[in-house]
């Protein structure tokens, strides 16, 4: 299967309503998304109770998909941010059981952007402040664990035993892991960057 092909195509995509969409006038628990495949493709969002937004793809300044990775893949949190000139940021999020529908929508949006020659506006990654927050959080965690291990070892009376060495190795290793992770998050998985192709975009989709 090539990048331009999908096994199935969906005409309407069900999404979870969120504060950003409610603020834009979409009311109800769910939002229906449609992409019109015309001379001027557009994304239409309709609230399950009321409200409708039509966004020509040419007006999208940036389209950024991201994932907050949980302890397990089932706990990953996905979202897609849409920026337009002079408008508030919109956020698209999947429903609890609609992650594959969300995936199909974002891929279809990316294809639409590619079709109109705006694929360079499709991005992946967290926001810069989120990347910085996670990095600082991990550094603080590493420092806290290292200090706790040092303080515990310092308070111990008597000769060093095997269990002390094992304890120091475990806590030191975990602190080192957090420090490495705090740097690695600034690599490919953290800050926003333009996607290389649809396969690259799929890396932050369910």
């Amino acid at each position: 299967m090539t990048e331009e092909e999908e096994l199935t195509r969906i005409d309407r995509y069900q999404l979870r309503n969120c504060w950003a969409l409610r603020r834009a006038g979409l009311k109800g628990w769910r939002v229906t998304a449609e992409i019109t495949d015309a001379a001027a493709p557009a994304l239409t969002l309709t609230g399950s109770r009321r409200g409708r937004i039509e966004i020509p793809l040419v007006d999208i300044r940036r389209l950024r998909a991201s994932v907050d990775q949980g302890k397990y893949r089932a706990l990953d949190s996905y979202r897609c941010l849409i920026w337009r000139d002079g408008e508030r940021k919109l956020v698209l999020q999947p429903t609890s059981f609609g992650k594959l529908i969300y995936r199909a929508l974002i891929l279809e949006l990316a294809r639409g952007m590619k079709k109109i020659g705006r694929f360079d506006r499709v991005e992946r990654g967290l926001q810069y402040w989120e990347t910085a927050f996670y990095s600082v959080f991990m550094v603080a965690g590493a420092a806290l664990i290292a200090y706790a291990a040092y303080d515990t070892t310092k308070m111990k009376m008597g000769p060093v035993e095997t269990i002390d060495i094992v304890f120091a190795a475990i806590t030191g290793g975990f602190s080192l892991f957090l420090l490495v992770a705090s740097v690695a998050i600034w690599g490919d998985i953290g800050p926003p960057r333009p996607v290389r192709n649809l396969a690259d975009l799929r890396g932050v989709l369910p």
Side-chain angles (χ1 to χ4, degrees):
M1 185 174 67
T2 66
E3 290 184 353
E4 302 301 326
E5 297 174 337
E6 278 292 310
L7 293 177
T8 59
R9 289 295 176 90
I10 304 173
D11 293 327
R12 296 189 175 189
Y13 308 83
Q14 291 293 318
L15 302 172
R16 178 168 67 89
N17 204 354
C18 62
W19 166 243
L21 298 182
R22 289 190 179 95
R23 186 177 56 187
L26 302 183
K27 307 302 180 182
W29 289 104
R30 295 286 182 267
V31 169
T32 300
E34 300 177 77
I35 301 176
T36 58
D37 189 12
L43 168 67
T44 301
L45 302 173
T46 307
S48 57
R49 284 179 53 201
R50 67 176 183 273
R52 186 174 183 273
I53 305 173
E54 184 170 328
I55 308 168
L57 298 193
V58 70
D59 290 347
I60 295 178
R61 181 161 50 91
R62 277 182 295 161
L63 175 77
R64 182 186 300 160
S66 63
V67 54
D68 282 325
Q69 296 180 339
K71 184 175 182 180
Y72 306 103
R73 186 169 178 83
L75 299 179
D76 290 349
S77 176
Y78 300 91
R79 68 184 185 276
C80 180
L81 310 179
I82 296 176
W83 285 271
R84 297 170 293 160
D85 290 327
E87 300 288 347
R88 291 180 181 271
K89 175 180 62 182
L90 298 177
V91 182
L92 307 182
Q93 295 177 303
T95 62
S96 299
F97 301 99
K99 290 183 178 179
L100 294 182
I101 293 175
Y102 164 83
R103 170 190 172 94
L105 169 64
I106 304 308
L107 288 173
E108 198 62 27
L109 272 174
R111 290 190 187 92
M113 296 294 284
K114 190 173 185 178
K115 182 178 179 181
I116 63 173
R118 304 293 176 87
F119 194 68
D120 60 321
R121 300 186 180 187
V122 181
E123 300 177 348
R124 56 169 286 176
L126 301 171
Q127 299 189 70
Y128 281 108
W129 71 265
E130 291 176 309
T131 306
F133 173 79
Y134 290 137
S135 181
V136 170
F137 182 78
M138 286 185 281
V139 170
L144 183 62
I145 292 171
Y147 175 78
Y150 168 76
D151 193 54
T152 301
T153 304
K154 187 175 68 172
M155 292 175 60
K156 179 178 173 56
M157 303 297 292
V160 176
E161 300 177 2
T162 303
I163 191 171
D164 299 323
I165 298 175
V166 172
F167 175 73
I170 292 175
T171 53
F174 194 59
S175 295
L176 181 60
F177 169 78
L178 288 176
L179 288 175
V180 171
S182 70
V183 175
I185 196 172
W186 288 98
D188 196 52
I189 63 174
R193 62 169 176 79
V195 299
R196 305 181 189 94
N197 46 45
L198 291 181
D200 188 29
L201 178 61
R202 290 187 182 100
V204 291
L205 297 179

